[in-house]
Amino acid sequence: MIESPIRLTQTVKGAGCAAKLPPGDLDRALCGLDLPVDDNLLVGLERADDAGVYRVSDEIALVQTLDFFPPMVDDPYQFGRIAAANALSDVYAMGGTPKTAMNIVAFPAKTLDLAILRQIIEGGLSVLREAGVVLVGGHTIDDPELKYGLSVTGYVHPAKILTKKRLRIGDRLILTKPLGSGIVCTAIKAGLATDDVTELVIANMATLNRVAAETMADFPVSACTDITGFGLMGHLAEMVVDSGCGLRIDSATLPHYPEALEWAAMGLIPAGAYNNKKFRGKFVTFAESVGQPRRDLCFDPQTSGGLLITVAAGEADSLLLALKAGGVAAATIIGEVVAEPREIILVE
Ligand code: CO
Ligand code: CO
Ligand code: CO
């Protein structure tokens, strides 16, 4: 295990990797709300996407997003790095460039030393620096449960916004980070993970999707999202709904942590995976040959996961090569957009 004087993950009750409110619950809470109408709101609440987009001029639209969660690792500095990489990811997923950020912090000042808060924020700052993003402020409250994240604002050209929609039949699907971070974090908490896989999952979660985003900008990409708490299937379900197309996934190609399937088989599955399966399972058809651990991997909630990019079939290999040349080592073609079955994810 990596040495850490405090076990941050022990300070939160039932913490999973970025356990979100199940999408069905959020839909119920927001259903029927009278949302403000504005012609410049290009991407808003009425459709599930990674970030909101607001047009400022014909050349510039603002991309705005907010993400925060309890710690999934014990090292405060690394927690800060992961939270920042995760928050910035939604701007990259929209095809945008992040510019400014604000901290959002809930800190148990009565039970944790303020030095821990400082390390978390230093970790966040180190990733913002790497991304060329400035911290402009934030808000901190005293709260029994530690949470940290950031609100991020970026720019995108209004004609270059990438949403989860506009799938084209024949497009290939590329995933840029390994799956299974939820399972690995569960194994870390259970004391089963080696130092090597612990360091690897932390490094991956703290890796910006910046290179992947900059690389895809030169290719005919039709849609993009980042894989986070709803897992691969949850995010693919958001893409396939109302698309008129289907998705075919080759489960054998899914990039994953080496031990993740073994740990899934042992039942080391975060609670969020069951929620994801419950709410999005109806969009997924598994071939009989796909074993249970691989099915679990498909629903595993990710923290700061990779981009899922759909690109014209003829350019998929070139994009893959460019990603790998840029250091996005895990990038893999995992499937394609198909005509049938409509609005279903077929995992073979
Ligand atoms: Co997202
Ligand atoms: Co998000
Ligand atoms: Co304030």
Side-chain angles (χ1 to χ4, degrees):
M1 292 296 294
I2 286 174
E3 290 299 325
S4 178
I6 2 98
R7 302 284 313 268
L8 278 193
T9 55
Q10 305 293 325
T11 66
V12 287
K13 288 189 296 274
C17 278
K20 291 192 194 181
L21 195 67
D25 290 2
L26 189 61
D27 290 347
R28 264 200 303 285
L30 300 182
C31 155
L33 282 186
D34 187 13
L35 297 169
V37 177
D38 186 325
D39 286 346
N40 288 315
L41 183 63
L42 304 180
V43 179
L45 263 182
E46 76 288 349
R47 58 187 217 218
D49 223 301
D50 294 304
V53 184
Y54 188 87
R55 181 170 49 216
V56 177
S57 70
D58 290 345
E59 305 289 311
I60 295 176
L62 292 180
V63 185
Q64 294 179 287
T65 180
L66 167 65
D67 264 88
F68 68 112
F69 42 50
M72 70 300 298
V73 295
D74 287 317
D75 181 324
Y77 184 79
Q78 295 299 348
F79 172 46
R81 286 180 53 81
I82 292 163
N86 179 74
L88 292 167
S89 177
D90 282 324
V91 177
Y92 293 125
M94 300 301 289
T97 305
K99 293 288 178 189
T100 63
M102 290 195 279
N103 284 330
I104 172 165
V105 186
F107 192 76
K110 290 176 192 73
T111 52
L112 287 184
D113 194 300
L114 283 173
I116 292 169
L117 175 58
R118 186 182 167 87
Q119 283 178 290
I120 292 169
I121 291 173
E122 272 178 347
L125 275 171
S126 75
V127 166
L128 293 183
R129 224 175 283 123
E130 192 185 323
V133 171
V134 287
L135 187 70
V136 297
H139 191 85
T140 303
I141 60 164
D142 188 356
D143 187 89
E145 191 172 273
L146 172 61
K147 295 176 199 78
Y148 171 63
L150 301 103
S151 161
V152 183
T153 300
Y155 296 162
V156 68
H157 190 287
K160 292 182 178 162
I161 301 165
L162 290 173
T163 66
K164 298 183 182 183
K165 300 301 176 187
R166 282 199 290 268
L167 298 180
R168 295 173 304 212
I169 291 164
D171 278 359
R172 297 297 189 264
L173 273 55
I174 294 181
L175 178 63
T176 67
K177 285 189 191 179
L179 294 170
S181 62
I183 294 165
V184 174
C185 287
T186 307
I188 294 171
K189 262 177 261 172
L192 291 173
T194 60
D195 284 356
D196 283 354
V197 71
T198 303
E199 278 165 31
L200 181 64
V201 75
I202 288 173
N204 279 333
M205 292 190 295
T207 296
L208 287 169
N209 281 326
R210 178 188 191 171
V211 174
E214 287 173 354
T215 307
M216 77 174 169
D218 297 332
F219 288 83
V221 169
S222 52
C224 182
T225 189
D226 61 332
I227 306 302
T228 52
F230 299 142
L232 178 65
M233 289 302 131
H235 294 275
L236 290 181
E238 289 175 343
M239 292 183 115
V240 88
V241 166
D242 298 330
S243 69
C245 314
L247 296 172
R248 195 191 61 77
I249 302 298
D250 180 356
S251 67
T253 63
L254 294 176
H256 61 83
Y257 294 94
E259 300 87 343
L261 294 176
E262 185 189 318
W263 286 330
M266 290 167 63
L268 291 166
I269 294 162
Y274 297 100
N275 282 334
N276 290 340
K277 193 193 296 187
K278 187 171 153 205
F279 285 95
R280 298 304 191 198
K282 61 176 179 282
F283 296 102
V284 186
T285 303
F286 286 103
E288 244 174 76
S289 57
V290 181
Q292 191 58 45
R294 243 170 236 283
R295 297 182 188 208
D296 294 332
L297 192 68
C298 285
F299 289 106
D300 186 41
Q302 304 301 284
T303 299
S304 190
L307 295 185
L308 187 289
I309 304 164
T310 65
V311 63
E315 297 286 329
D317 288 333
S318 318
L319 174 51
L320 194 64
L321 280 176
L323 286 166
K324 288 187 182 290
V328 187
T332 311
I333 298 175
I334 64 163
E336 62 186 330
V337 181
V338 291
E340 300 284 341
R342 268 166 68 101
E343 301 189 6
I344 286 288
I345 305 154
L346 182 62
V347 183
E348 293 178 329

